[in-house]
Amino acid sequence: MQTFARRPEKGFPRRILIATLSILIFCAGCSDSDNRPRYNSGGDQEPELLPVAEPKVELPPDIRRIVLTTTQFNLATVGYQEAEFFLSGEATSFSNLSELGSDGLWDVEPATTANYKTRIVVIRPIDDNNFSGTVFVEWLNVSAGFDNPPSWYAGHTEALRRGHAWVFVSAQRDGIEGRDDAVIPLAPKLANPERYESLSITSDSYSYDIFSQVSMALRSPSGLAPLGELQPTRVMAVGESQSANRLVVYVNAVHPLYAPYDGYLIHSRTGGEFSTYSLSQPPEVALPTPPDLRVRDDLEVPILMYQTETDLLTLQAVVARQDDSDYFRLWETVGTSHSDYYTNVSGRSDTGVDPQFAVVVEEPSIFGFINCTLPMNAGPGPWLFNNALYALETWVTDGLAPSSAERTALSDDQTQIMRDDFGNALGGIRSPYVDAPAATLSGDGQEGESFCALFGVTELFDAATMAMLYGDQDGYVAAVTEATDAAIDNGFLLEDDRQRIIDAAGLQWLLLE
């Protein structure tokens, strides 16, 4: 087996200097001015970054509507607007100069090139004065055979109330073309071929560079600007599940070369047999990554990894656990699932006001389309994820690192989550949903159609159990209030969500009557 030398700890590799000169000479489409952060791997001087090609930006044909479900309410009612743009250019794949080890300390270089044309969807404040300066760029998930924005579903109320912009990126071929085994034919070229017929991504090997080029289109456009007159000061990447796995590869391989993003929120990455994402794949040379891949520890860029109960054991992320560091935080949340009732059903109608969205309910079906055996998890996921968005933005903006969190309690052989007498997990990031519970909330144990195994379980307590624990409604609300304030003090819930969670406790008790 061929082996590779590890990149030296000091100095700047000669091959990057050569590549930089070559790109500066030949890359006519590259930006010569941007506000990217500078990457320092520990050398005496900060190395120059490789330039990122700036894609051509154009408007799509005005044929029917955008194919991407973001909310089930009119964004204008909360002061926002939505627009779609086509991006095109030449993207590069990457090849490795060192072994692709589990520590993520890789040395890679640009390899083959291919033309591409894809789309982004931009959600931004209508009034420029309401823009916070922060942009979250979501790598759309294609596990279902079409583009899906699970991180937006989980955290959109936090983005809307802060004035952030959110950009969705179709970085992968399946998101545009679809697949024969897709849950439903919602890929753009299947759902609206007239609008999207010109889009093309030949291989996911080019997805990483496409994702980088989006950052340039946002930061320093020379033509049509996807953000209009808005000037972003912070551009951060986010992706869930398969997209989170690709972001782990991206952070290890691409960020050291280009530093396209100011921070990363890796949302529900997987491991073991479920971590099958490569630096490159056929028809290019296949470059698989290790099943226990971790985030490299030599980057000076904030990285927050947000994990649910399902991710830990069912999706085997436990094999890739790593310690916190100056620029890395691992948050393992409990009472949560990989996908849940809020992200699948109710949250798409949530404008950030009604406490009903914070009530724990029992619902086994996604709009009657996907039916699970048991009620899916309806726990603290969205409120904990709101806090993760806030924590990353604060970290990037002010340099204030988030709280370090206790890991989820596991058995000695790391095959079971340790649980209390009511079946709720011990350890991990706490919330009133598990510290003043009205239900058993788990990330595991679900069965049923399609992706049900990822949706977790809710089992509401009966009236007798609630009376035993809290006495009456006032006692329950008091317990939720105390647990909510403790989670806020510990840095794991937001003050902005406090009243909704407490008001929901009063509504929760009414379900017993």
Side-chain angles (χ1 to χ4, degrees):
M1 181 174 67
Q2 187 176 8
T3 59
F4 303 87
R6 173 73 58 82
R7 175 185 289 185
E9 294 297 324
K10 299 283 186 178
F12 191 45
R14 181 173 179 270
R15 62 99 183 158
I16 294 183
L17 290 172
I18 295 173
T20 302
L21 291 174
S22 299
I23 294 175
L24 287 174
I25 293 172
F26 297 110
C27 185
C30 294
S31 172
D32 58 4
S33 175
D34 61 70
N35 59 348
R36 290 177 290 159
R38 283 328 193 226
Y39 163 70
N40 187 344
S41 62
D44 294 332
Q45 295 182 343
E46 292 184 0
E48 288 297 317
L49 299 171
L50 298 184
V52 180
E54 182 187 333
K56 177 184 177 182
V57 181
E58 58 187 302
L59 293 174
D62 188 17
I63 304 174
R64 295 167 54 198
R65 66 180 301 276
I66 297 170
V67 177
L68 184 68
T69 301
T70 56
T71 64
Q72 292 179 328
F73 57 87
N74 186 342
L75 283 166
T77 63
V78 291
Y80 268 72
Q81 62 187 2
E82 179 182 74
E84 185 175 54
F85 301 87
F86 285 0
L87 273 61
S88 60
E90 185 178 75
T92 182
S93 65
F94 296 90
S95 60
N96 59 320
L97 296 173
S98 67
E99 182 180 356
L100 299 179
S102 298
D103 60 7
L105 294 169
W106 303 342
D107 190 10
V108 309
E109 67 178 355
T112 60
T113 60
N115 291 328
Y116 77 91
K117 188 173 185 179
T118 191
R119 60 83 179 260
I120 63 173
V121 176
V122 177
I123 291 179
R124 50 152 291 181
I126 295 172
D127 186 341
D128 291 359
N129 293 322
N130 292 332
F131 178 48
S132 67
T134 293
V135 182
F136 282 96
V137 181
E138 181 168 2
W139 187 311
L140 289 169
N141 183 295
V142 300
S143 294
F146 56 88
D147 283 334
N148 199 33
S151 295
W152 165 259
Y153 290 151
H156 68 278
T157 58
E158 167 65 7
L160 294 173
R161 68 190 171 202
R162 303 288 177 197
H164 302 335
W166 201 285
V167 177
F168 307 96
V169 181
S170 294
Q172 293 176 255
R173 178 178 171 82
D174 283 353
I176 291 172
E177 303 283 349
R179 293 196 313 263
D180 291 340
D181 65 345
V183 176
I184 47 178
L186 274 183
K189 292 182 76 170
L190 297 177
N192 188 353
E194 295 86 358
R195 183 182 180 100
Y196 297 106
E197 62 183 351
S198 66
L199 301 187
S200 174
I201 296 176
T202 59
S203 166
D204 283 358
S205 297
Y206 302 100
S207 62
Y208 302 109
D209 195 41
I210 290 171
F211 196 69
S212 295
Q213 291 188 31
V214 171
S215 76
M216 286 297 97
L218 300 174
R219 290 183 186 274
S220 55
S222 58
L224 182 63
L227 292 173
E229 297 299 318
L230 302 184
Q231 299 295 318
T233 54
R234 297 165 294 279
V235 182
M236 293 173 282
V238 60
E240 196 261 0
S241 192
Q242 71 94 45
S243 301
N245 288 1
R246 297 195 79 86
L247 280 185
V248 173
V249 175
Y250 187 91
V251 166
N252 290 338
V254 179
H255 183 88
L257 300 181
Y258 303 101
Y261 293 95
D262 300 284
Y264 295 87
L265 180 46
I266 298 172
H267 178 190
S268 285
R269 64 80 53 89
T270 65
E273 65 180 297
F274 297 99
S275 184
T276 56
Y277 301 98
S278 304
L279 178 62
S280 178
Q281 47 269 319
E284 288 70 43
V285 175
L287 295 173
T289 61
D292 58 345
L293 178 60
R294 299 180 295 279
V295 172
R296 64 190 300 157
D297 62 5
D298 63 341
L299 298 181
E300 294 186 4
V301 61
I303 301 168
L304 177 58
M305 185 176 289
Y306 175 98
Q307 299 291 97
T308 71
E309 279 189 32
T310 316
D311 309 326
L312 193 58
L313 296 184
T314 299
L315 297 179
Q316 302 178 17
V318 65
V319 303
R321 265 181 166 177
Q322 64 186 95
D323 294 335
D324 288 355
S325 65
D326 288 346
Y327 290 93
F328 177 83
R329 290 289 185 274
L330 173 59
W331 279 8
E332 293 180 356
T333 61
V334 296
T336 55
S337 59
H338 190 76
S339 186
D340 60 18
Y341 174 70
Y342 184 91
T343 57
N344 285 321
V345 183
S346 68
R348 305 181 192 194
S349 301
D350 183 11
T351 61
V353 178
D354 190 345
Q356 186 64 50
F357 291 97
V359 174
V360 181
V361 298
E362 291 186 334
E363 174 54 63
S365 176
I366 300 178
F367 303 118
F369 173 67
I370 295 177
N371 300 292
C372 302
T373 303
L374 299 169
M376 69 189 82
N377 185 291
W383 324 114
L384 296 175
F385 191 74
N386 278 349
N387 186 63
L389 291 173
Y390 177 83
L392 179 64
E393 195 228 355
T394 302
W395 198 358
V396 169
T397 303
D398 301 326
L400 299 176
S403 301
S404 287
E406 180 184 352
R407 301 296 184 251
T408 304
L410 300 179
S411 59
D412 290 342
D413 62 0
Q414 295 195 323
T415 62
Q416 294 183 20
I417 293 175
M418 304 304 292
R419 299 185 180 278
D420 62 22
D421 293 341
F422 296 99
N424 288 313
L426 300 174
I429 288 181
R430 314 300 297 174
S431 72
Y433 288 82
V434 292
D435 286 343
T440 299
L441 296 163
S442 173
D444 304 319
Q446 183 62 268
E447 297 178 351
E449 302 169 355
S450 188
F451 291 97
C452 279
L454 305 180
F455 297 165
V457 175
T458 293
E459 184 179 356
L460 286 171
F461 295 163
D462 59 23
T465 302
M466 292 292 282
M468 178 192 70
L469 290 172
Y470 309 110
D472 56 15
Q473 184 182 41
D474 290 343
Y476 176 59
V477 172
V480 168
T481 301
E482 181 179 358
T484 300
D485 289 340
I488 292 171
D489 290 344
N490 290 330
F492 300 124
L493 278 181
L494 292 176
E495 180 70 32
D496 303 77
D497 289 324
R498 177 181 184 273
Q499 197 58 51
R500 273 226 287 178
I501 292 171
I502 293 170
D503 289 347
L507 298 176
Q508 189 79 52
W509 193 269
L510 297 180
L511 295 180
L512 301 173
E513 299 177 356

